[in-house]
Coordinates of all heavy atoms in Angstrom, one line a residue:
M1 N 23.0 -18.1 48.0 CA 22.0 -18.3 46.9 C 22.8 -18.1 45.6 O 23.6 -17.2 45.5 CB 20.8 -17.3 47.0 CG 19.8 -17.6 46.0 SD 18.3 -16.5 46.2 CE 19.0 -15.0 45.7
S6 N 19.0 -18.9 35.0 CA 18.7 -19.9 34.0 C 20.0 -20.7 33.8 O 21.0 -20.3 34.3 CB 18.2 -19.4 32.7 OG 19.1 -18.5 32.1
R31 N 43.9 -18.3 12.4 CA 43.2 -18.8 13.5 C 43.8 -18.5 14.8 O 45.0 -18.8 15.0 CB 43.0 -20.3 13.4 CG 42.2 -20.7 12.1 CD 42.1 -22.3 12.1 NE 41.4 -22.8 13.2 CZ 40.1 -22.9 13.2 NH1 39.3 -22.5 12.2 NH2 39.5 -23.4 14.3
T137 N -11.9 9.7 12.8 CA -12.9 10.7 12.9 C -14.3 10.1 13.0 O -15.2 10.5 13.8 CB -12.8 11.7 11.7 OG1 -11.5 12.3 11.8 CG2 -13.9 12.8 11.8
R207 N 10.1 -14.2 39.7 CA 10.7 -14.4 38.4 C 9.7 -14.3 37.3 O 8.6 -14.9 37.4 CB 11.5 -15.7 38.3 CG 12.7 -15.8 39.2 CD 13.3 -17.1 39.2 NE 14.6 -17.1 39.9 CZ 15.3 -18.2 40.2 NH1 14.9 -19.4 39.7 NH2 16.5 -18.1 40.8
A216 N 10.9 -3.3 24.7 CA 11.7 -2.5 25.7 C 10.8 -2.0 26.8 O 11.2 -2.0 27.9 CB 12.4 -1.4 24.9
G319 N -8.7 -20.4 29.9 CA -7.9 -19.3 30.5 C -7.3 -19.6 31.8 O -6.9 -18.6 32.5
R386 N -4.1 0.2 7.6 CA -2.9 0.1 8.4 C -1.9 -0.9 7.8 O -0.7 -0.7 7.7 CB -3.2 -0.3 9.9 CG -2.1 -0.7 10.8 CD -1.2 0.5 11.0 NE -1.8 1.4 12.0 CZ -2.1 2.7 11.7 NH1 -1.8 3.2 10.5 NH2 -2.6 3.5 12.6

Side-chain angles (χ1 to χ4, degrees):
M1 186 176 71
S6 61
R31 296 179 63 85
T137 299
R207 290 176 175 174
R386 170 66 75 242

